Structures are given as structure tokens and as C-alpha cells.
Amino acid sequence: MATMIIEGERTRAASGKTYEVRNPATGEVVDEVPQGGPADVDKAAQAAAKAFGTWSKLPANQRREILHKAAHHMLEKVEEIAPILTKEQGKTLLESRLEAKRFGENIAWFADLADKIHGQHVKLPDLTTYGLVVRRPIGVCGAIVPWNFPLTLAANKVAPAIAAGNTVVLKPASTTPLATLACIEALMEGGLPEGVVNVVIGQATGEAIVEHPLIRKIALTGSTPTGRKVMAKAAEGLKKVTLELGGSDPCIVLDDADLEGAARAISVGRFFNCGQQCLSTKRLYVQDGAYDALMEKLVARAGKVEPGNGLDKYRRKGPTPTETQRAEVEAQIKDAIDRGAKVVYGGGRPKGAEYEKGWFIEPTILENVPDGARMWTEEVFGPALPVRKVKDLDEALRLANDTPFGLGSSIWTANMAAARRAVDELEAGYTWVNAIVIAHDELPFGGTKQSGFGKEHGVEAYLGYTEEKSVVYGGV
Ligand code: NAD
């Protein structure tokens, strides 16, 4: 049985309760895990507060060295960790390997910032004084993570937090705690001190983290409704919040675009990780001159995204993680079809004995999806893409921005003036121009509108785990 990790110890839930983690491709039990609650969060927060006393006081170059060694050790275990992620989440081994690797790389990237961020020296009017602005870690931080990228999204929070000297209480999603535990174990084997990162498991631990008085910042990646609840609850304790929430990213393809490049990017953007990506191509607007040729290429690519058990190296797409999640995506597809949309590819469940016990769904492309259909107005968190023909960039930009979300966006065009207009006018935290939708460590990532606020990745994420303090030195 897997256990939580609190103050370096492998811990069962205070209540003694457990639940099963199941493989979404086969329905088989992968492991039994503790069902933690407020008492476990309290223990983890106390452990993190104790560890903060020493971790935050270490010289920054020592923190950098410790984190590099820990990340290096974790990266040597990628081949062990990847199948655990595939079994609990369903994604393909290739996707799991990439993700496990990104976890270690992210820890190493932020480790390098630990001793590179400076404060300021400020001249004051009274020449017998001078001012400083110093940066300090915040304290104990809560990290709440969803199931779609359990490792990457945990690292996005844990890495900048601990590099800056904070300690963490980390909560993976209930369905995907196992690979996260393996990553934190590996960091600890590699020298991360006990109590710096504590992992609690169980649905009820999320709210308990947000409410706990010792936890001073909450970083959540999750849906927009969860973000609202977390922000309201965090306001009671006046906690800092970073909210990475839902998205419905538009992609615009103009007549003059490199259609081969666009088709590849859209296919990866919509079907990678079974379409369960926050940043992903969720609405496609294609100028009429490019429409038929692009659709032909997209359909050909969808045909290659063969669903199956992620452990089978020849399959390109795993199942959705739960029955509820598949039902949600199917309902959104049905809504579009009921309103008159045409299925261009997929639209149902793959057939055959191997698919009967898992939550599989076909890669799906729909056209003529009417205005008001759920696929346009809601986030589609699965491998289904609505496509619309547009006459020009004006129409494309108007439709692209007609959404409550503002996470990512992209445009494919050879016209630099059109690209520049898109960069200026698309209401989103990220715009890719003629580039595949990949979030880079070096660039700050975060949404606008109902997709949340605060940044992960980049120096900005590191700064978000520090507080500025002004200091006046007198008598000098
Ligand atoms: P979710 O909101 O249901 O859950 C996310 C996490 O929050 C889970 O660990 C869950 O247990 C916890 N949680 C739920 N209610 C809570 C509460 N009241 N208080 C504290 N914690 C609570 O999301 P999900 O279904 O796991 O993930 C899918 C969603 O995440 C999608 O909307 C997707 O777009 C979004 N997402 C966003 C990003 C981003 O960076 N913007 C990245 C990945 C996923």
C-alpha cells in the first residue's frame, strides 16, 4: 500500500481510511492509498513549518546544490516512474516519460535561480540612511494539483517554492497520487531534507490546505469553478493565491499559413495527453481558402492517433481517467451533433474487446458546430475539436475572444502584420505564432479572464514565491 509522505515518514491517514487507485485503461486496481483529511494536513503543515526554520536559512548556493543533486537522482528514475504514471492516469508511456523528465528538469531549472535573484539598494534623501529591498520566502505553501499532468503541474509549484526557501504541503489529485509520491521519494533519496515537501492524499485534503492557518500561499491548478471556491476560502485567511484554471484556447489559421506545420501543431495541441491539456487547441478558426486542405490533413493525422492501453508502445492515445470525465466530453460532442454539427472524424468510442474495460474515446473533429454549442462556450477537456470556417482575421479574432477563458491562443500565418495583430488583440496569457503549443520553462505562463492569474514558469514564478521587504539603515 502506498503512503503519504510527512516529515520524511511514510504515513497512513489519521482516520485509517483508504481508497483504491484504478487503471483507467483496464479498470484494474493499481494500488491502495490513504484517504487523508484535515488531521493529516495539520501534521504536514506543522512538519513544513518546522522544516522552514532550517531550509529557509540555508545559504542559497547550498539550496541550489541540494536541489540539483536531488533532481539528478530523480531523473535517473524516469524509467521506473513513467509506468506508474501510465497505470494510474492512462497516458502513453511516451507521454509519461516526457512528463517525469520535465519534473526533474523543472526542479533543476529553479535550483539555478536560488542564488541568482537579487534585491535592491535604494538611495534615500537623508544621506545618513539608505534603503534596501530584500526578498524573503513566504513560508509554508500549499500546492494543489489536478490529474491531467500530475508531475509537471506539481513541479511548477514545488520547484520555485523550495528553490526560494519555502516549504510545501502538496496534494495530488485523488486519482493520480502514485507517480507524484515516487518523484518526491526520489528527491528525498537524492538528498532533499525531510519536511521540505510533504505529500497528503485524499479529496478532503484540498480544502484543509486552503483553510490551514500555517499555510500562507495557495497555488492551485484546476477547473475555474474550483478556482472560485479556493479564492473565496483563501480570502478568509488573506492568503496569497496563484490560480491556473481552465482554458478554451483558440487557434486561427489564415489562407497563407504553412498548413503542414499548422496541422501538426493542431493535432498535437488537441490530441496529446488524450486532449486533456489546459493549454491546447480547443477551438479552431480557419480562413475559407485554407479550409479544405487543412481539414484533409487534420483528418489524416487524427487517423494515426490510435487509442489503447498506454503501456502498449504502439498506441498514441490513452483513455480518459474516469467514466465521469468521458461522459462529460461525450455530452459536449452530442450537444454539438444535436444542434446540427457534422462529424468529420471519430465521434464515438473505439470498438473492440481491448477497449471494453477502459474509458476510451475516439479522437474527434466536428465542423458546422453552431454558435452557442457547448464546445464553443465551455472548456472541452478531451480529444474533440470544433472547427469553423471564417472569412478573415477580423472575424477570427472576434470569435477567438468570444469566450470567458484566456489561457493560451495561437495563429498560423505568413503575414507578419496579421501575426502582430493577433499578438496584440488575442485575450490570453500566451500566444504562439507559427509554433507548436508547448509551455517553456523560460517564459511566464498563466491566464487572464476566467483562466486565473499569477504565473508559473520563468523568473516570475520564482518571484511569486517571495515577498519583498523594505529596510532602512540609519546612522551610516
Ligand atoms: P479540479 O478543479 O476538479 O481539481 C483540481 C485539484 O483541486 C484536485 O487536486 C482537487 O482535489 C482539488 N480541489 C477540488 N475542489 C477543491 C476545493 N474546494 N478546495 C481545494 N482543493 C480542491 O480539476 P481537475 O478536474 O482535476 O483538472 C482539470 C481542470 O484543470 C481543467 O479545467 C483544466 O483546464 C485545469 N487545468 C489548468 C491548467 C493551467 O495551468 N491553467 C493546467 C492543467 C489543468
Side-chain angles (χ1 to χ4, degrees), residues 145-148 171 206 221-223 226 244-246 278 379 381 445:
V145 180
W147 47 262
N148 60 326
K171 178 209 173 296
T221 299
S223 64
T226 301
E244 297 287 355
L245 308 178
C278 51
E379 175 179 40
F381 214 58
F445 156 59

Side-chain angles (χ1 to χ4, degrees), residues 288-318:
D288 37 20
Y291 191 87
D292 292 342
L294 183 67
M295 286 302 263
E296 198 179 310
K297 290 180 193 300
L298 285 177
V299 167
R301 283 181 179 272
K304 292 185 184 148
V305 187
E306 198 182 348
N309 187 327
L311 292 175
D312 177 344
K313 66 177 179 182
Y314 296 107
R315 302 312 171 98
R316 291 286 165 268
K317 189 177 79 58

Side-chain angles (χ1 to χ4, degrees), residues 201-225:
I201 303 172
Q203 197 71 34
T205 57
E207 270 189 55
I209 287 175
V210 182
E211 284 173 3
H212 200 285
L214 283 178
I215 300 179
R216 303 210 26 227
K217 166 168 174 153
I218 308 293
L220 165 82
T221 299
S223 64
T224 297

Side-chain angles (χ1 to χ4, degrees), residues 137-178:
I138 295 168
V140 181
C141 299
I144 305 177
V145 180
W147 47 262
N148 60 326
F149 289 107
L151 305 185
T152 328
L153 298 172
N156 283 357
K157 299 160 185 54
V158 169
I162 61 180
N166 303 279
T167 54
V168 175
V169 177
L170 166 64
K171 178 209 173 296
S174 306
T175 51
T176 54
L178 300 171

